[in-house]
Amino acid sequence: MSHSPPTSQFALLTQRRFAPFFWTQFLGAANDNLFKFAFTVLVTYQLRVSWLDAKMAGLVIGALFILPFVLLSATAGQWADKYDKARIMRSIKLLELGIMGLVAWGFFGQQVPLLLACVFLMGLHSTFFGPVKYAYLPQHLNERELTGGNGMVEMGTFVAILLGNVGGGLLMSIPQVGVLWTALACLSVAVVGCLVSWRIPASPSADPALVLNWNPATETWRNLKLAAQYPSVFRSLLGISWMWYFGAVFLAQFPSFARDVLGGDEQVASLLLVVFSVGIATGSLLCETFSHRHVEIGLVPMGALGMTVFAFDLYLSSQELAPHGAALQSLGQFMAQSAHWRIMADLALLAFSAGLYSVPMYALIQLRAKATHRARIIAANNILNALFMIVSSLMAGSLLSAGLSIPQVFGVTAVLNVIVVGYVFWLMPEYILRLVMLFVTRIVYRLKVRGDEHLPTDGAAILVCNHVSFVDAVILGVISPRPMIFLMDHRIFKTPGLGFFFRAIKAIPIAPQKEDPVAYERAFERARQALNEGELLCLFPEGGITRDGTLQPFKAGIMKILETNPVPVIPSALHNLWGSTFSRIEGVAMSKPLRRGLFNRVGLVVGEAIPADQVTPDGLRGRVQSLLDQPSP
């Protein structure tokens, strides 16, 4: 599907509304991981601590880092909604400077308890940054930029994780002076991040009158209840939290996996993180390309499938490795073995799939959450993420303690992914339905759109369109950044397959008044209710699918709705669908499957909204006809 010529998401890096924010969060994520991974390498490879088992070190450090998310995310969400987000980010970066001073002291003295305390403090730093980060984006980016902006942030975060982990591992492994260089690097990154944060533009409070609740327990519960008021948002929160559960299993085990399963040294552990980070960064960036600058949750099931397939193949490929010797392999020795390339491919594709899975979910939350509550809902997301990651650490630790190998833990996680993600999709079938829409508009057809910027991202409105085929609703639905409620001829619901689909997207069947007056009135009542709830309603005013390919007279039903709900009306026109499989060109649709083959080019033109008081059936038909008379996109 193609849209109006967009500006590349990379252009955001040249704009002050995005660039200073991007680099501030980038440097913060890099420093988090530089410190954490250097510390993990220290206690895994160099410093033996009797009370901290090397195999469990990654899990302990990970659990300590995310503990503040559970305890204080609710408070952080309130701050982000009440105060200017730029000021909050600057304050957080000043806190980071102080923490890194303690980190340097802890590294020099090899004081493991102090370093563990600093892990907790950096978790606190990230706890307060998280709600600000995701609430900042929709305040400065529009809907068409939101997926690209989120993709850039996710890409930046995982490249920062990559650089931080690689840098931490390489610096700490330098003989004799590794501790010194690691401490200096942590301090330097904190200083640069603090300086960059002063360029972030003002981001005014979303709810300055908010009264802070300082009780984290009651506020946490209130935030979770607040998020639950938005079913699609809350279910997406669960989906994202599961992704962090899933990813935490792999990230926490990389040092031990590299050493105990692959027989590699610190550089091999760093390589695994490089492959994983590049994979998820690539998947995150390509979300904008695949979604064509809209929030496209149809990518989520594709990502979920890839996560399962490649995680399970990682388990299989790890199980098939020959036993390694006592001496750890260097990076060159590791790369020389062909069996290891399959492992790296699995990691890269697993991570790529996780990027496709997560970015649309983040964008959906930002788009559909109420602006005055957005940061608190993001805080609820962080709370759930933290809880899922703690459970992840406990589960992985329990499985390892029970005698399972690290590859077997990966295999169990892959199976769990099928169960959990399947449950999320069952709760919210919109993800699967959007995938079906994507298949129709990119495989059966090749859709191009012009004027989609006229589609409102919020507020009640009515979209009207010519009715050419049985899949018109599918095509219109995929170009909308939010769910669309369709008012459709009741006979379409009797078509096998299509009937199930239209019921699943909550389309409203309407029968002619003479045929079934009760169903007729019920349809209009449901249409009014949808508009009262701020939904986007789609009508086909012709009353049925055309039998000759021409635009039929418009019925007066739309005027009946506008009498009680005077909302804007947006005309649109579908091009090149007449003569396709799902049209009635030969009297009966679908009599010749794929009669024009695959990748048929079809178009949609969307016009400017018309005020309700200027709408008449004939005038509206004239607007749609003028869109049909334009060249196809």
Side-chain angles (χ1 to χ4, degrees), residues 28-107:
N31 223 12
D32 279 344
N33 289 278
L34 190 156
F35 162 51
K36 285 192 301 174
F37 196 69
F39 183 27
T40 304
V41 168
L42 179 69
V43 294
T44 302
Y45 286 96
Q46 299 176 15
L47 186 63
R48 300 299 175 185
V49 182
S50 60
W51 47 271
L52 183 61
D53 181 68
K55 184 181 287 188
M56 303 297 292
L59 294 174
V60 171
I61 291 170
L64 265 178
F65 183 78
I66 61 177
L67 183 58
F69 285 89
V70 178
L71 301 177
L72 292 167
S73 281
T75 303
Q78 292 180 90
W79 281 26
D81 274 336
K82 184 175 178 63
Y83 300 115
D84 185 289
K85 297 170 187 62
R87 291 179 60 189
I88 293 175
M89 285 189 268
R90 291 173 194 135
S91 300
I92 292 169
K93 301 312 287 184
L94 288 172
L95 173 64
E96 183 184 345
L97 273 176
I99 296 170
M100 286 303 145
L102 291 175
V103 166
W105 185 15
F107 274 141

Side-chain angles (χ1 to χ4, degrees), residues 7-20 23 152:
T7 301
S8 167
Q9 59 194 335
F10 291 100
L12 292 171
L13 290 175
T14 66
Q15 301 172 21
R16 190 183 169 195
R17 62 186 174 131
F18 185 80
W23 292 115
M152 290 293 291

Side-chain angles (χ1 to χ4, degrees), residues 292-361:
H292 297 278
R293 293 174 61 83
H294 279 299
V295 177
E296 182 47 76
I297 61 175
L299 299 176
V300 174
M302 296 169 59
L305 177 64
M307 288 163 63
T308 294
V309 169
F310 297 114
F312 196 77
D313 193 65
L314 179 62
Y315 153 69
L316 295 176
S317 58
S318 302
Q319 291 285 89
E320 295 171 7
L321 290 176
H324 57 81
L328 296 180
Q329 302 174 77
S330 67
L331 182 60
Q333 292 171 324
F334 175 83
M335 296 289 288
Q337 299 184 41
S338 58
H340 293 157
W341 285 88
R342 177 179 168 187
I343 286 172
M344 289 189 291
D346 283 332
L347 274 179
L349 292 170
L350 180 160
F352 177 86
S353 301
L356 290 183
Y357 175 92
S358 62
V359 168
M361 282 191 170

Side-chain angles (χ1 to χ4, degrees), residues 351-399:
F352 177 86
S353 301
L356 290 183
Y357 175 92
S358 62
V359 168
M361 282 191 170
Y362 276 117
L364 179 142
I365 291 168
Q366 293 163 348
L367 184 65
R368 297 190 186 175
K370 191 175 179 181
T372 54
H373 298 75
R374 190 179 284 132
R376 279 168 283 172
I377 288 175
I378 296 298
N381 177 56
N382 290 342
I383 294 165
L384 289 171
N385 290 353
L387 290 172
F388 273 62
M389 291 171 73
I390 289 172
V391 173
S392 170
S393 297
L394 294 174
M395 185 213 75
S398 298
L399 292 176

